Amino acid sequence: MSKLNIGIILGSTREGRVSPQVGEWIKKIADERGDANYEIVDIADYRLPLLGEADASEQAAAWNNKLASLDGFVFIVQEYNHSITAALKNALDYARDAWNNKAAGIVSYGSVGGARAAEHLRGILGELSVADVRVHPALSLFTDFENGTFKPADLHLTNVNGMLDQVLAWSGALKTIRS
């Protein structure tokens, strides 16, 4: 069986965001495992306007094609006002079938580890027929970041690897449904 393709989705587009740092950290850990093809997928690269406000045929096609090429996801989610970013919600809404019958892990961060954003995302993923996994690395703005620089505690490695184990198991199982 060929290796699964897992997208690490950066869930913010704002200037000065730290999600690229978190995404690179996850990718480094994932790549060291050698058990799947991991890639960072930055929603900012797709320049999706607010859904319904402009013709975004090209951007939407590119976004859907990228998602269709992936077997599973790891979302890097920051908490804004107890929820996910508007940019991530918009990107989720631009696709439907490309999300279906795939698995996702969530890595969140915020003042309470981004837990409220992760829970909100879980509800949205359920509607998109994405199976989110139980293990959820939650990073604290108070202990895992220093002056805008991501400095994760070593204790998160166990959760990251546990999450990746679950994402791969579920992604492999769900791939059989899509075949």
Side-chain angles (χ1 to χ4, degrees):
M1 186 170 156
S2 62
K3 286 185 178 181
L4 296 169
N5 298 311
I6 307 297
I8 301 167
I9 298 181
L10 304 184
S12 175
T13 59
R14 92 178 155 86
E15 197 165 320
R17 63 196 171 135
V18 296
S19 59
Q21 294 176 57
V22 178
E24 288 294 339
W25 175 68
I26 294 294
K27 186 172 184 322
K28 181 178 183 284
I29 294 167
D31 285 345
E32 287 173 359
R33 297 164 51 102
D35 53 7
N37 301 313
Y38 297 94
E39 69 176 288
I40 291 181
V41 180
D42 190 345
I43 61 176
D45 293 341
Y46 293 86
R47 303 198 180 284
L48 297 164
L50 285 178
L51 187 63
E53 288 197 352
D55 178 21
S57 302
E58 281 186 46
Q59 297 101 310
W63 177 239
N64 277 268
N65 287 338
K66 173 45 69 185
L67 296 175
S69 74
L70 300 169
D71 299 304
F73 313 100
V74 173
F75 287 90
I76 308 300
V77 181
Q78 39 293 111
E79 185 171 314
Y80 290 3
N81 298 320
H82 293 206
S83 189
I84 62 174
T85 66
L88 178 56
K89 178 62 169 91
N90 192 54
L92 289 163
D93 289 344
Y94 260 99
R96 182 71 189 178
D97 294 339
W99 296 115
N100 292 175
N101 297 315
K102 296 181 181 179
I106 299 170
V107 177
S108 64
Y109 61 91
S111 59
V112 291
R116 296 169 294 208
E119 288 307 308
H120 189 193
L121 179 58
R122 287 179 193 279
I124 297 166
L125 293 176
E127 180 59 26
L128 295 171
S129 296
V130 176
D132 60 281
V133 302
R134 182 186 164 282
V135 178
H136 165 208
L139 308 167
S140 171
L141 288 178
F142 303 116
T143 58
D144 295 306
F145 295 86
E146 186 178 300
N147 299 320
T149 301
F150 181 51
K151 295 186 175 186
D154 288 340
L155 62 90
H156 296 299
L157 289 175
T158 300
N159 277 342
V160 169
N161 279 301
M163 175 202 60
L164 292 171
D165 288 344
Q166 290 181 347
V167 167
L168 291 180
W170 279 92
S171 294
L174 289 168
K175 187 172 185 170
T176 64
I177 294 172
R178 294 190 319 276
S179 298

